[in-house]
Amino acid sequence: MKVVVIGAGNVATHLAKALYAANVQVTQVWSHHNENAKTLAAELNAKAIANLSEIDLAADICLVAIKDDAIVEIANQLKDFKGLIAHTSGAVNLNVFECQFENYGVFYPLQTFSKSKEVDFKVIPLCLEANNKSSLDKLKELASKLSRNIVEINSEKRKILHLAAVFACNFTNHLYELADEILKANQLDFDILRPLIAETAEKVQTAFPLDVQTGPAIRNDEQTLIKHQQLLLKQPQLLDIYKTLSDSIKKTK
Amino acid sequence: MKVVVIGAGNVATHLAKALYAANVQVTQVWSHHNENAKTLAAELNAKAIANLSEIDLAADICLVAIKDDAIVEIANQLKDFKGLIAHTSGAVNLNVFECQFENYGVFYPLQTFSKSKEVDFKVIPLCLEANNKSSLDKLKELASKLSRNIVEINSEKRKILHLAAVFACNFTNHLYELADEILKANQLDFDILRPLIAETAEKVQTAFPLDVQTGPAIRNDEQTLIKHQQLLLKQPQLLDIYKTLSDSIKKTK
């Protein structure tokens, strides 16, 4: 199975390396930034191509792992490709490919990727969708080389999943960041929060978050809620977030 | 060292059990709900007392692990106690004890406790404060039996820390809960998000959250931000949280 990777960002890099580690042949890498393509290709014994017209038309699968907004434009440039094309986005519909391709799909790894951090692909849910059975089977074959956690999901539900992931991951990381800001402004080190952050995530690996909610809002501890808001009086944005989320917690009871 | 535990909620239970496991003698447990005191005391070979007047005046340390709002009232009832009294709250000032006691302190474990889940006390930051050196030394001695992570911190900074912990833990868990709500409403299982949640927390164990932020807001992916907001049109509270946090992420760049 020969795979071409379009993109050299976080998702493309982690995915391409995981494929390489699983003995899947990645033959070419293209990126909007040719230098990034070269860097990634070098790690895969692949070829960095500078123009999409150089794409290997005989490759089995073309994985498009780029910014959502750019997928349509890149797809238009790839329309001579006769293999199976799949994007890796949580938010983009399968039918983005329907006008240009016969065999197309989605290969969405539900995970947060940063270049600096290795991830264990074996547990990552790989969310698959395709326009026909043979394409879906091909994506499943590829996915099974990387993960034990394969999920068939249509575009509508994938968008919901992506939205939920924004709450559970992107917003969560931002709350870590706000906590760090609060600490830094008071000469306290983020290190002191790390065990708490780890435990908060670990708890919900077996429990449901509703059953393990703690803190002043769920306890209706009004004195503490007021004290916290007083500490944030000079940071209206943090105060707004504090109020919004505390009110939301109170409503879950 | 003889310890009396006031409270039988999540913090009291985990702390008392950890003390027992560390061979610290917990002699008595009191709770507003006597049945809870009995249950906890039975696990510690301790005595459940129904009235605070029965407290062992010869105990070395009295740990007050109850709701913040109730600490003053309980302290007033304990004023004959001559040992070292300490509360376990992040948000209550040390001086809550100054009118009734000679030796007092704070023993604040920076962690989220749920009865259903065991925790490893060894890594939990135990944040200590006392009104004199001998009391601080006594708290340090107790803390060192439980954890490798002992932090001396005054009341002002402890309140800041507690506030930061609300962002990093309580609000974070609530975002998990909102994600679960979004999934449930669309017949999707929370299980699919668990690896993402684990990785999001694991990433910041070595990195700073600002350096590993991902998602549509940090990428300025306006198409996806708009699509997500359209999915939330019928849930104004979730929409409000989505907008508030996305705007806040955009401002961190």
Side-chain angles (χ1 to χ4, degrees), chain B residues 161-214:
Chain B
L161 189 55
H162 185 247
L163 174 63
V166 168
F167 278 81
C169 164
N170 306 147
F171 289 170
T172 286
N173 186 75
H174 183 58
L175 290 177
Y176 302 158
E177 156 60 12
L178 296 179
D180 187 27
E181 265 181 37
I182 292 169
L183 294 179
K184 269 204 195 102
N186 293 276
Q187 296 79 49
L188 286 161
D189 199 295
F190 186 63
D191 224 24
I192 198 168
L193 281 185
R194 286 184 163 123
L196 177 66
I197 287 171
E199 174 67 13
T200 304
E202 206 185 302
K203 255 195 204 182
V204 297
Q205 297 303 308
T206 48
F208 284 97
L210 188 61
D211 300 328
V212 293
Q213 183 68 51
T214 56

CSV table of all heavy atoms in Angstrom, one decimal, chain B residues 161-214:
chain,number,residue,atom,x,y,z
B,161,LEU,N,-3.9,30.2,44.4
B,161,LEU,CA,-3.7,28.8,44.0
B,161,LEU,C,-5.0,28.1,43.8
B,161,LEU,O,-5.3,27.3,42.9
B,161,LEU,CB,-2.8,28.1,45.0
B,161,LEU,CG,-2.3,26.7,44.7
B,161,LEU,CD1,-1.5,26.7,43.4
B,161,LEU,CD2,-1.3,26.3,45.8
B,162,HIS,N,-5.9,28.3,44.8
B,162,HIS,CA,-7.2,27.7,44.8
B,162,HIS,C,-8.0,28.1,43.6
B,162,HIS,O,-8.7,27.4,43.0
B,162,HIS,CB,-7.9,28.0,46.2
B,162,HIS,CG,-9.2,27.3,46.3
B,162,HIS,ND1,-10.4,27.9,46.3
B,162,HIS,CD2,-9.5,25.9,46.4
B,162,HIS,CE1,-11.4,27.0,46.5
B,162,HIS,NE2,-10.9,25.8,46.5
B,163,LEU,N,-7.9,29.4,43.4
B,163,LEU,CA,-8.6,30.0,42.2
B,163,LEU,C,-8.1,29.4,40.9
B,163,LEU,O,-8.9,29.0,40.0
B,163,LEU,CB,-8.4,31.5,42.2
B,163,LEU,CG,-9.0,32.3,41.0
B,163,LEU,CD1,-10.5,32.1,40.9
B,163,LEU,CD2,-8.6,33.7,41.0
B,164,ALA,N,-6.8,29.3,40.8
B,164,ALA,CA,-6.2,28.7,39.6
B,164,ALA,C,-6.7,27.2,39.5
B,164,ALA,O,-6.9,26.7,38.4
B,164,ALA,CB,-4.7,28.8,39.6
B,165,ALA,N,-6.8,26.5,40.6
B,165,ALA,CA,-7.2,25.1,40.6
B,165,ALA,C,-8.6,25.0,40.2
B,165,ALA,O,-9.0,24.0,39.5
B,165,ALA,CB,-7.0,24.5,42.0
B,166,VAL,N,-9.5,26.0,40.4
B,166,VAL,CA,-10.9,25.9,40.0
B,166,VAL,C,-10.9,26.0,38.4
B,166,VAL,O,-11.6,25.2,37.8
B,166,VAL,CB,-11.7,27.1,40.6
B,166,VAL,CG1,-13.0,27.3,39.9
B,166,VAL,CG2,-11.9,26.9,42.1
B,167,PHE,N,-10.0,26.8,37.8
B,167,PHE,CA,-9.9,26.8,36.4
B,167,PHE,C,-9.4,25.5,35.8
B,167,PHE,O,-10.0,24.9,34.9
B,167,PHE,CB,-9.0,28.0,35.9
B,167,PHE,CG,-9.7,29.3,35.9
B,167,PHE,CD1,-9.9,30.1,37.0
B,167,PHE,CD2,-10.2,29.8,34.7
B,167,PHE,CE1,-10.5,31.3,37.0
B,167,PHE,CE2,-10.8,31.1,34.7
B,167,PHE,CZ,-11.0,31.8,35.8
B,168,ALA,N,-8.3,25.0,36.4
B,168,ALA,CA,-7.6,23.9,35.9
B,168,ALA,C,-8.3,22.5,36.1
B,168,ALA,O,-8.1,21.6,35.4
B,168,ALA,CB,-6.2,23.8,36.4
B,169,CYS,N,-9.2,22.5,37.2
B,169,CYS,CA,-9.8,21.2,37.6
B,169,CYS,C,-11.3,21.3,37.5
B,169,CYS,O,-11.9,20.6,36.7
B,169,CYS,CB,-9.3,20.8,38.9
B,169,CYS,SG,-10.3,19.6,39.7
B,170,ASN,N,-12.0,22.2,38.3
B,170,ASN,CA,-13.4,22.2,38.3
B,170,ASN,C,-14.0,22.6,37.0
B,170,ASN,O,-15.0,21.9,36.5
B,170,ASN,CB,-13.9,23.1,39.4
B,170,ASN,CG,-13.3,22.8,40.8
B,170,ASN,OD1,-13.1,23.7,41.6
B,170,ASN,ND2,-13.0,21.6,41.1
B,171,PHE,N,-13.5,23.6,36.4
B,171,PHE,CA,-14.0,24.1,35.1
B,171,PHE,C,-13.7,23.1,34.0
B,171,PHE,O,-14.5,22.8,33.1
B,171,PHE,CB,-13.5,25.5,34.8
B,171,PHE,CG,-14.0,26.6,35.6
B,171,PHE,CD1,-13.4,27.9,35.5
B,171,PHE,CD2,-15.1,26.4,36.5
B,171,PHE,CE1,-13.9,28.9,36.3
B,171,PHE,CE2,-15.6,27.5,37.3
B,171,PHE,CZ,-15.0,28.7,37.2
B,172,THR,N,-12.5,22.5,34.1
B,172,THR,CA,-12.1,21.5,33.1
B,172,THR,C,-13.1,20.3,33.2
B,172,THR,O,-13.6,19.9,32.1
B,172,THR,CB,-10.7,21.1,33.4
B,172,THR,OG1,-9.8,22.2,33.0
B,172,THR,CG2,-10.3,19.9,32.7
B,173,ASN,N,-13.3,19.8,34.3
B,173,ASN,CA,-14.3,18.7,34.5
B,173,ASN,C,-15.7,19.1,33.9
B,173,ASN,O,-16.3,18.3,33.3
B,173,ASN,CB,-14.4,18.2,35.9
B,173,ASN,CG,-15.2,17.0,36.0
B,173,ASN,OD1,-14.8,15.9,35.7
B,173,ASN,ND2,-16.5,17.1,36.5
B,174,HIS,N,-16.0,20.3,34.1
B,174,HIS,CA,-17.3,20.7,33.6
B,174,HIS,C,-17.3,20.8,32.1
B,174,HIS,O,-18.4,20.4,31.5
B,174,HIS,CB,-17.7,22.1,34.2
B,174,HIS,CG,-19.0,22.6,33.7
B,174,HIS,ND1,-20.2,21.9,34.0
B,174,HIS,CD2,-19.4,23.7,33.0
B,174,HIS,CE1,-21.2,22.5,33.5
B,174,HIS,NE2,-20.8,23.6,32.9
B,175,LEU,N,-16.2,21.1,31.5
B,175,LEU,CA,-16.1,21.1,30.0
B,175,LEU,C,-16.2,19.6,29.5
B,175,LEU,O,-16.9,19.4,28.5
B,175,LEU,CB,-14.9,21.7,29.5
B,175,LEU,CG,-14.8,23.3,29.7
B,175,LEU,CD1,-13.5,23.8,29.2
B,175,LEU,CD2,-15.9,24.0,28.9
B,176,TYR,N,-15.6,18.7,30.3
B,176,TYR,CA,-15.8,17.3,29.9
B,176,TYR,C,-17.3,16.9,29.9
B,176,TYR,O,-17.8,16.2,29.1
B,176,TYR,CB,-15.1,16.3,30.9
B,176,TYR,CG,-13.6,16.5,31.1
B,176,TYR,CD1,-13.0,16.0,32.3
B,176,TYR,CD2,-12.8,17.1,30.2
B,176,TYR,CE1,-11.7,16.2,32.5
B,176,TYR,CE2,-11.4,17.2,30.4
B,176,TYR,CZ,-10.9,16.7,31.6
B,176,TYR,OH,-9.5,16.8,31.8
B,177,GLU,N,-18.0,17.5,31.0
B,177,GLU,CA,-19.4,17.2,31.1
B,177,GLU,C,-20.2,17.8,30.0
B,177,GLU,O,-21.1,17.1,29.4
B,177,GLU,CB,-19.9,17.7,32.5
B,177,GLU,CG,-21.3,18.1,32.7
B,177,GLU,CD,-22.3,16.9,32.5
B,177,GLU,OE1,-21.8,15.8,32.4
B,177,GLU,OE2,-23.5,17.2,32.4
B,178,LEU,N,-19.9,19.0,29.6
B,178,LEU,CA,-20.6,19.6,28.4
B,178,LEU,C,-20.3,18.8,27.2
B,178,LEU,O,-21.2,18.6,26.4
B,178,LEU,CB,-20.2,21.1,28.3
B,178,LEU,CG,-20.5,22.0,29.4
B,178,LEU,CD1,-20.0,23.4,29.1
B,178,LEU,CD2,-22.0,22.0,29.7
B,179,ALA,N,-19.1,18.3,27.0
B,179,ALA,CA,-18.8,17.5,25.8
B,179,ALA,C,-19.6,16.2,25.9
B,179,ALA,O,-20.2,15.8,24.8
B,179,ALA,CB,-17.3,17.2,25.8
B,180,ASP,N,-19.8,15.6,27.0
B,180,ASP,CA,-20.6,14.4,27.2
B,180,ASP,C,-22.0,14.7,26.8
B,180,ASP,O,-22.7,13.9,26.2
B,180,ASP,CB,-20.5,13.9,28.6
B,180,ASP,CG,-21.1,12.6,28.8
B,180,ASP,OD1,-21.2,11.8,27.8
B,180,ASP,OD2,-21.6,12.2,29.9
B,181,GLU,N,-22.5,15.9,27.3
B,181,GLU,CA,-23.9,16.3,26.9
B,181,GLU,C,-24.1,16.4,25.4
B,181,GLU,O,-25.1,15.9,24.9
B,181,GLU,CB,-24.2,17.7,27.5
B,181,GLU,CG,-24.9,17.7,28.9
B,181,GLU,CD,-25.2,19.1,29.3
B,181,GLU,OE1,-25.5,20.0,28.5
B,181,GLU,OE2,-25.0,19.3,30.6
B,182,ILE,N,-23.2,17.0,24.8
B,182,ILE,CA,-23.2,17.2,23.3
B,182,ILE,C,-23.2,15.8,22.6
B,182,ILE,O,-24.0,15.5,21.7
B,182,ILE,CB,-22.0,18.0,22.8
B,182,ILE,CG1,-22.2,19.5,23.3
B,182,ILE,CG2,-21.9,18.0,21.3
B,182,ILE,CD1,-20.9,20.3,23.1
B,183,LEU,N,-22.4,14.9,23.1
B,183,LEU,CA,-22.3,13.5,22.5
B,183,LEU,C,-23.6,12.8,22.8
B,183,LEU,O,-24.2,12.2,21.8
B,183,LEU,CB,-21.2,12.7,23.1
B,183,LEU,CG,-19.8,13.2,22.8
B,183,LEU,CD1,-18.7,12.4,23.5
B,183,LEU,CD2,-19.5,13.2,21.3
B,184,LYS,N,-24.1,12.8,24.0
B,184,LYS,CA,-25.3,12.1,24.4
B,184,LYS,C,-26.5,12.5,23.5
B,184,LYS,O,-27.3,11.7,23.1
B,184,LYS,CB,-25.7,12.3,25.9
B,184,LYS,CG,-25.1,11.3,26.8
B,184,LYS,CD,-25.9,11.3,28.1
B,184,LYS,CE,-25.1,10.5,29.2
B,184,LYS,NZ,-24.5,11.5,30.2
B,185,ALA,N,-26.6,13.8,23.3
B,185,ALA,CA,-27.8,14.3,22.5
B,185,ALA,C,-27.7,13.8,21.1
B,185,ALA,O,-28.7,13.9,20.4
B,185,ALA,CB,-27.7,15.9,22.6
B,186,ASN,N,-26.6,13.3,20.7
B,186,ASN,CA,-26.4,12.7,19.3
B,186,ASN,C,-26.1,11.3,19.3
B,186,ASN,O,-25.4,10.8,18.4
B,186,ASN,CB,-25.4,13.6,18.6
B,186,ASN,CG,-25.8,15.0,18.4
B,186,ASN,OD1,-26.5,15.3,17.4
B,186,ASN,ND2,-25.5,15.9,19.3
B,187,GLN,N,-26.5,10.6,20.4
B,187,GLN,CA,-26.2,9.1,20.5
B,187,GLN,C,-24.8,8.7,20.3
B,187,GLN,O,-24.5,7.7,19.6
B,187,GLN,CB,-27.1,8.4,19.5
B,187,GLN,CG,-28.6,8.5,19.8
B,187,GLN,CD,-29.2,9.8,19.3
B,187,GLN,OE1,-28.9,10.2,18.1
B,187,GLN,NE2,-29.9,10.5,20.1
B,188,LEU,N,-23.9,9.5,20.8
B,188,LEU,CA,-22.5,9.2,20.8
B,188,LEU,C,-22.0,8.9,22.2
B,188,LEU,O,-22.4,9.5,23.1
B,188,LEU,CB,-21.7,10.3,20.1
B,188,LEU,CG,-21.8,10.4,18.6
B,188,LEU,CD1,-21.4,11.8,18.1
B,188,LEU,CD2,-21.0,9.3,17.9
B,189,ASP,N,-21.0,8.0,22.3
B,189,ASP,CA,-20.5,7.6,23.6
B,189,ASP,C,-19.3,8.4,24.1
B,189,ASP,O,-18.4,8.7,23.3
B,189,ASP,CB,-20.2,6.1,23.5
B,189,ASP,CG,-20.2,5.5,24.9
B,189,ASP,OD1,-19.3,5.9,25.7
B,189,ASP,OD2,-21.0,4.6,25.2
B,190,PHE,N,-19.3,8.8,25.4
B,190,PHE,CA,-18.2,9.5,26.0
B,190,PHE,C,-16.9,8.8,25.8
B,190,PHE,O,-15.8,9.4,25.8
B,190,PHE,CB,-18.6,9.8,27.5
B,190,PHE,CG,-17.6,10.7,28.2
B,190,PHE,CD1,-17.4,12.0,27.8
B,190,PHE,CD2,-16.8,10.2,29.2
B,190,PHE,CE1,-16.5,12.8,28.4
B,190,PHE,CE2,-15.9,11.0,29.9
B,190,PHE,CZ,-15.7,12.3,29.5
B,191,ASP,N,-17.0,7.5,25.7
B,191,ASP,CA,-15.7,6.7,25.6
B,191,ASP,C,-14.8,7.2,24.5
B,191,ASP,O,-13.6,7.1,24.6
B,191,ASP,CB,-16.1,5.2,25.3
B,191,ASP,CG,-15.3,4.3,26.2
B,191,ASP,OD1,-14.8,4.7,27.2
B,191,ASP,OD2,-15.2,3.1,25.8
B,192,ILE,N,-15.4,7.7,23.4
B,192,ILE,CA,-14.6,8.0,22.3
B,192,ILE,C,-13.7,9.3,22.6
B,192,ILE,O,-12.7,9.5,22.0
B,192,ILE,CB,-15.5,8.3,21.0
B,192,ILE,CG1,-14.7,8.3,19.7
B,192,ILE,CG2,-16.3,9.6,21.2
B,192,ILE,CD1,-15.6,8.2,18.5
B,193,LEU,N,-14.1,10.0,23.6
B,193,LEU,CA,-13.3,11.2,24.0
B,193,LEU,C,-12.2,11.0,25.0
B,193,LEU,O,-11.4,11.8,25.2
B,193,LEU,CB,-14.2,12.3,24.5
B,193,LEU,CG,-15.0,13.2,23.6
B,193,LEU,CD1,-15.7,14.3,24.3
B,193,LEU,CD2,-14.1,13.8,22.5
B,194,ARG,N,-12.3,9.8,25.7
B,194,ARG,CA,-11.4,9.6,26.8
B,194,ARG,C,-9.9,9.6,26.4
B,194,ARG,O,-9.1,10.2,27.2
B,194,ARG,CB,-11.8,8.3,27.5
B,194,ARG,CG,-13.1,8.5,28.3
B,194,ARG,CD,-13.4,7.2,29.2
B,194,ARG,NE,-14.4,7.5,30.2
B,194,ARG,CZ,-15.5,7.0,30.4
B,194,ARG,NH1,-15.9,6.0,29.5
B,194,ARG,NH2,-16.3,7.3,31.4
B,195,PRO,N,-9.5,9.0,25.3
B,195,PRO,CA,-8.1,9.1,25.0
B,195,PRO,C,-7.6,10.6,24.8
B,195,PRO,O,-6.5,11.0,25.1
B,195,PRO,CB,-7.9,8.3,23.7
B,195,PRO,CG,-9.1,7.4,23.7
B,195,PRO,CD,-10.2,8.1,24.4
B,196,LEU,N,-8.5,11.4,24.2
B,196,LEU,CA,-8.2,12.8,23.9
B,196,LEU,C,-8.0,13.5,25.2
B,196,LEU,O,-7.1,14.4,25.4
B,196,LEU,CB,-9.3,13.4,23.1
B,196,LEU,CG,-9.2,14.9,22.7
B,196,LEU,CD1,-8.0,15.1,21.8
B,196,LEU,CD2,-10.5,15.4,22.1
B,197,ILE,N,-8.9,13.3,26.1
B,197,ILE,CA,-8.9,14.0,27.5
B,197,ILE,C,-7.6,13.6,28.2
B,197,ILE,O,-6.9,14.5,28.7
B,197,ILE,CB,-10.1,13.6,28.3
B,197,ILE,CG1,-11.3,14.3,27.7
B,197,ILE,CG2,-9.9,13.9,29.8
B,197,ILE,CD1,-12.7,13.8,28.3
B,198,ALA,N,-7.2,12.3,28.1
B,198,ALA,CA,-6.0,11.9,28.8
B,198,ALA,C,-4.8,12.5,28.2
B,198,ALA,O,-3.9,13.0,28.9
B,198,ALA,CB,-5.9,10.3,28.7
B,199,GLU,N,-4.7,12.6,26.9
B,199,GLU,CA,-3.6,13.2,26.2
B,199,GLU,C,-3.5,14.7,26.4
B,199,GLU,O,-2.4,15.2,26.6
B,199,GLU,CB,-3.7,12.9,24.7
B,199,GLU,CG,-2.6,13.5,23.8
B,199,GLU,CD,-1.2,13.0,24.0
B,199,GLU,OE1,-1.0,12.0,24.7
B,199,GLU,OE2,-0.2,13.7,23.6
B,200,THR,N,-4.6,15.4,26.5
B,200,THR,CA,-4.6,16.8,26.7
B,200,THR,C,-4.0,17.1,28.0
B,200,THR,O,-3.2,18.1,28.1
B,200,THR,CB,-6.1,17.3,26.6
B,200,THR,OG1,-6.6,17.0,25.4
B,200,THR,CG2,-6.1,18.8,26.8
B,201,ALA,N,-4.3,16.3,29.0
B,201,ALA,CA,-3.7,16.6,30.4
B,201,ALA,C,-2.3,16.1,30.4
B,201,ALA,O,-1.4,16.7,31.1
B,201,ALA,CB,-4.5,15.8,31.4
B,202,GLU,N,-2.0,15.1,29.7
B,202,GLU,CA,-0.6,14.5,29.7
B,202,GLU,C,0.4,15.5,29.1
B,202,GLU,O,1.5,15.7,29.5
B,202,GLU,CB,-0.5,13.2,29.0
B,202,GLU,CG,0.6,12.3,29.5
B,202,GLU,CD,0.7,11.0,28.8
B,202,GLU,OE1,-0.3,10.2,28.8
B,202,GLU,OE2,1.8,10.7,28.2
B,203,LYS,N,-0.1,16.1,28.0
B,203,LYS,CA,0.8,17.1,27.3
B,203,LYS,C,1.4,18.1,28.2
B,203,LYS,O,2.5,18.5,28.1
B,203,LYS,CB,-0.1,17.8,26.2
B,203,LYS,CG,0.2,17.3,24.8
B,203,LYS,CD,-0.5,18.4,23.9
B,203,LYS,CE,-0.9,17.9,22.6
B,203,LYS,NZ,-1.5,18.9,21.8
B,204,VAL,N,0.5,18.7,29.0
B,204,VAL,CA,1.0,19.8,29.9
B,204,VAL,C,1.7,19.3,31.1
B,204,VAL,O,2.1,20.2,32.0
B,204,VAL,CB,-0.2,20.8,30.3
B,204,VAL,CG1,-0.8,21.4,29.0
B,204,VAL,CG2,-1.2,20.1,31.1
B,205,GLN,N,2.0,18.0,31.2
B,205,GLN,CA,2.8,17.6,32.3
B,205,GLN,C,4.3,18.0,32.1
B,205,GLN,O,5.0,18.1,33.0
B,205,GLN,CB,2.7,16.1,32.5
B,205,GLN,CG,1.3,15.6,32.9
B,205,GLN,CD,0.8,16.2,34.2
B,205,GLN,OE1,1.5,16.2,35.2
B,205,GLN,NE2,-0.4,16.8,34.1
B,206,THR,N,4.6,18.2,30.8
B,206,THR,CA,6.0,18.6,30.5
B,206,THR,C,6.0,19.9,29.8
B,206,THR,O,7.0,20.7,29.9
B,206,THR,CB,6.7,17.5,29.7
B,206,THR,OG1,5.9,17.2,28.6
B,206,THR,CG2,7.1,16.3,30.5
B,207,ALA,N,5.0,20.2,29.1
B,207,ALA,CA,4.9,21.5,28.3
B,207,ALA,C,4.1,22.5,29.1
B,207,ALA,O,3.4,22.2,30.0
B,207,ALA,CB,4.3,21.2,26.9
B,208,PHE,N,4.1,23.8,28.6
B,208,PHE,CA,3.2,24.8,29.1
B,208,PHE,C,2.0,24.8,28.1
B,208,PHE,O,2.2,24.7,26.9
B,208,PHE,CB,3.9,26.2,29.2
B,208,PHE,CG,4.8,26.2,30.4
B,208,PHE,CD1,6.2,26.0,30.2
B,208,PHE,CD2,4.3,26.5,31.6
B,208,PHE,CE1,7.0,26.1,31.3
B,208,PHE,CE2,5.1,26.6,32.7
B,208,PHE,CZ,6.5,26.3,32.6
B,209,PRO,N,0.8,25.1,28.7
B,209,PRO,CA,-0.4,25.0,27.9
B,209,PRO,C,-0.4,26.0,26.7
B,209,PRO,O,-0.9,25.7,25.6
B,209,PRO,CB,-1.5,25.3,28.9
B,209,PRO,CG,-0.9,25.6,30.2
B,209,PRO,CD,0.5,25.2,30.1
B,210,LEU,N,0.2,27.1,26.9
B,210,LEU,CA,0.3,28.1,25.8
B,210,LEU,C,1.0,27.5,24.6
B,210,LEU,O,0.6,27.9,23.4
B,210,LEU,CB,1.0,29.4,26.3
B,210,LEU,CG,1.0,30.6,25.4
B,210,LEU,CD1,-0.4,31.1,25.1
B,210,LEU,CD2,1.8,31.7,26.0
B,211,ASP,N,2.0,26.7,24.8
B,211,ASP,CA,2.8,26.2,23.7
B,211,ASP,C,2.1,25.0,23.0
B,211,ASP,O,2.6,24.5,22.0
B,211,ASP,CB,4.2,25.7,24.2
B,211,ASP,CG,4.9,26.9,24.8
B,211,ASP,OD1,4.7,28.0,24.3
B,211,ASP,OD2,5.7,26.7,25.8
B,212,VAL,N,1.0,24.4,23.6
B,212,VAL,CA,0.5,23.2,23.0
B,212,VAL,C,-1.0,23.4,22.7
B,212,VAL,O,-1.8,22.5,22.5
B,212,VAL,CB,0.7,22.0,23.8
B,212,VAL,CG1,2.1,21.6,23.9
B,212,VAL,CG2,0.1,22.1,25.2
B,213,GLN,N,-1.5,24.7,22.6
B,213,GLN,CA,-2.9,24.9,22.3
B,213,GLN,C,-3.2,24.5,20.8
B,213,GLN,O,-2.4,24.9,19.9
B,213,GLN,CB,-3.2,26.4,22.5
B,213,GLN,CG,-4.6,26.8,22.2
B,213,GLN,CD,-5.6,26.3,23.3
B,213,GLN,OE1,-5.3,26.4,24.5
B,213,GLN,NE2,-6.6,25.6,22.8
B,214,THR,N,-4.2,23.8,20.7
B,214,THR,CA,-4.6,23.4,19.3
B,214,THR,C,-6.1,23.8,19.1
B,214,THR,O,-6.8,24.3,20.1
B,214,THR,CB,-4.5,21.9,19.1
B,214,THR,OG1,-5.2,21.1,20.1
B,214,THR,CG2,-3.0,21.5,19.1
